[in-house]
Amino acid sequence: MRIPLLVVSAIVWPFLSTAAFTQQAANPLPQAEASPDDIEGGKMFATTCGFCHQEGGRHAGRGPKLSKSERSDEYLIERIKKGKVGAMPAYGSVFSDGQIIAILAYIRGLDD
């Protein structure tokens, strides 16, 4: 006697879903951090962002001044990832999360 695949799937599926959910809950995703393997944030900024954000981000150019920015970290990360239509390209597919964090750390370390 053959058991239809649909019946077997209906019996086994709930157990597989629960196991997968338990595995994900036990191992939350780590926070993105800049790793030693990433290029230094200042170098990435200079080679990618420096054309628009003048003098290393210390003065406005085509893009705004970034030193002492009052924007939140989340805002800056999202702007780097998604860009701004007609003003700034999106770099979310260019840089890893760790590299974006390194660029953010560079921006936060700027002084006038």
Side-chain angles (χ1 to χ4, degrees), residues 5-58:
L5 182 60
L6 183 59
V7 172
V8 172
S9 296
I11 293 170
V12 174
W13 179 254
F15 297 106
L16 292 177
S17 298
T18 304
F21 178 75
T22 304
Q23 178 71 17
Q24 285 178 341
N27 298 324
L29 295 175
Q31 293 291 346
E33 294 181 12
S35 79
D37 297 331
D38 289 332
I39 299 172
E40 180 201 338
K43 288 181 183 177
M44 287 185 289
F45 186 93
T47 59
T48 307
C49 315
F51 179 75
C52 294
H53 301 280
Q54 299 297 303
E55 295 193 35
R58 291 174 182 87

Side-chain angles (χ1 to χ4, degrees), residues 3-4 15 19 24-25 27 32 41 50 55 62-63 66 75 77 92 111-112:
I3 301 174
F15 297 106
Q24 285 178 341
N27 298 324
E55 295 193 35
R62 290 187 62 182
L66 296 173
Y75 176 89
I77 289 169
D111 56 8
D112 289 335

Side-chain angles (χ1 to χ4, degrees), residues 67-81:
S67 67
K68 299 184 180 175
S69 175
E70 295 181 8
R71 299 285 188 168
S72 70
D73 290 350
E74 293 78 17
Y75 176 89
L76 293 174
I77 289 169
E78 285 302 304
R79 182 53 56 97
I80 293 168
K81 286 182 177 183

